[in-house]
Amino acid sequence: MASEPAPKGKSLDERLAEAAGGDETYVLRLYVTGQTPRSLRAIENIKRICEKHLAGRYDLEVIDIYQRPSLAAGERIIAAPTLVKSLPAPIRRFVGDLSDTEKVLFGLDLIPAGPSRE
């Protein structure tokens, strides 16, 4: 990642404001296992994150690996839920219910590294 660490003391909101304004479209696939509580939380969390931080700049596809196992096999998904960010590069994978918003935003390159990530 080419982003420089944020100066100590900046809040998450301040770092988000600095990173806002990009125009890249994010291509995301969320692989889930049916309607389990963990899958439903992951869907809710990524939709909330996308609407708040990527409004109008994302394409999210939710894939149930029970119904479409060939897609999961093609992406070599071994755990669910798994979010795969295809674009913008680099490809990134996130496993879990995506409840750590700051970690997801950092992984999507939407915020630079902060004091807790240095």
Side-chain angles (χ1 to χ4, degrees):
M1 287 183 282
S3 57
E4 294 183 21
K8 290 186 189 288
K10 287 204 175 188
S11 71
L12 174 61
D13 288 336
E14 289 171 324
R15 289 183 285 139
L16 284 170
E18 289 174 359
D23 59 357
E24 296 176 300
T25 297
Y26 282 68
V27 178
L28 308 167
R29 280 188 167 179
L30 178 61
Y31 294 86
V32 297
T33 51
Q35 298 291 312
T36 64
R38 191 172 163 121
S39 292
L40 294 174
R41 271 194 315 276
I43 293 167
E44 179 182 318
N45 288 335
I46 194 59
K47 284 183 176 180
R48 177 182 41 77
I49 290 168
C50 287
E51 283 304 311
K52 184 171 182 180
H53 302 285
L54 293 172
R57 301 189 300 131
Y58 72 96
D59 178 22
L60 174 65
E61 183 178 8
V62 178
I63 298 166
D64 185 336
I65 62 176
Y66 293 145
Q67 295 178 7
R68 298 171 70 189
S70 62
L71 287 177
E75 287 278 356
R76 297 184 178 165
I77 301 298
I78 58 171
T82 295
L83 177 68
V84 177
K85 176 186 72 93
S86 301
L87 291 173
I91 294 173
R92 296 262 169 79
R93 294 171 184 261
F94 309 83
V95 177
D97 68 6
L98 309 171
S99 59
D100 186 341
T101 301
E102 186 172 355
K103 184 176 179 180
V104 174
L105 292 172
F106 177 74
L108 292 173
D109 295 323
L110 291 173
I111 58 172
S116 64
R117 302 272 180 233
E118 293 181 333

